[in-house]
């Protein structure tokens, strides 16, 4: 199913082509990252200037409005919006730590998790946020 991902701040489409594009920073480093729009696919393309290691936590931003995509309830995660052609809409929460594969697709009805680190890293706060969604 084709998913459209968007910035929660300015609503710009983040996957205009086959990849999802975000700005990434770590300390003084600045670059872009391309993610697969397919849940559970963690193959990402990073700007070659970036010198990052597994286990490092990066900051992610909308490439258009520069909104910080950090998830306020649990800042281990970044948050973007998604919707589908069938009218489903919700949020995607994913780990900001390199190599930590944890992604959640959250709608009013369900939470679907992807990645081997997903179950361990979820918190009660995280589920609490669910009531405020939509
Ligand atoms: Zn934006």
């Amino acid at each position: 199913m084709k998913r459209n991902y968007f910035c929660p701040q300015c609503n710009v489409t983040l996957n205009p082509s086959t990849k999802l594009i975000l700005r990434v920073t770590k300390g003084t480093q600045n670059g872009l990252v391309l993610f697969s729009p397919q849940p559970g696919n963690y193959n990402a393309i990073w700007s070659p200037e970036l010198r990052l290691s597994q286990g490092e936590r990066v900051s992610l931003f909308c490439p258009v409005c520069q909104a910080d995509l950090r998830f306020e309830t649990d800042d281990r995660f970044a948050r973007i919006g998604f919707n589908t052609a069938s009218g489903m809409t919700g949020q995607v929460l994913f780990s900001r730590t390199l190599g930590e594969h944890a992604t959640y697709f959250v709608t009013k009805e369900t939470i679907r998790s992807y990645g081997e680190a997903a179950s361990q890293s979820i918190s009660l706060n995280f589920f609490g946020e669910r009531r405020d969604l939509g």
Side-chain angles (χ1 to χ4, degrees), residues 6-12 14 61-67 69:
F6 60 91
C7 169
Q9 187 78 32
C10 73
N11 293 321
V12 74
L14 296 168
F61 301 87
C62 172
V64 174
C65 75
Q66 305 301 332
L69 300 173

Side-chain angles (χ1 to χ4, degrees), residues 47-119:
S47 292
E49 302 79 15
L50 293 167
R51 296 281 176 267
L52 301 169
S53 308
Q54 296 291 300
E56 286 192 305
R57 186 178 292 179
V58 298
S59 295
L60 296 163
F61 301 87
C62 172
V64 174
C65 75
Q66 305 301 332
D68 189 337
L69 300 173
R70 162 191 329 250
F71 179 47
E72 284 170 11
T73 303
D74 186 333
D75 81 352
R76 292 174 302 167
F77 294 89
R79 174 179 71 115
I80 58 176
F82 81 95
N83 55 41
T84 66
S86 61
M88 185 189 290
T89 186
Q91 301 187 69
V92 188
L93 308 174
F94 57 98
S95 174
R96 295 164 47 211
T97 302
L98 268 70
E100 184 178 89
H101 296 163
T103 307
Y104 304 91
F105 280 73
V106 184
T107 67
K108 265 188 273 190
E109 293 80 25
T110 62
I111 296 178
R112 291 210 176 114
S113 62
Y114 299 87
E116 68 275 4
S119 52

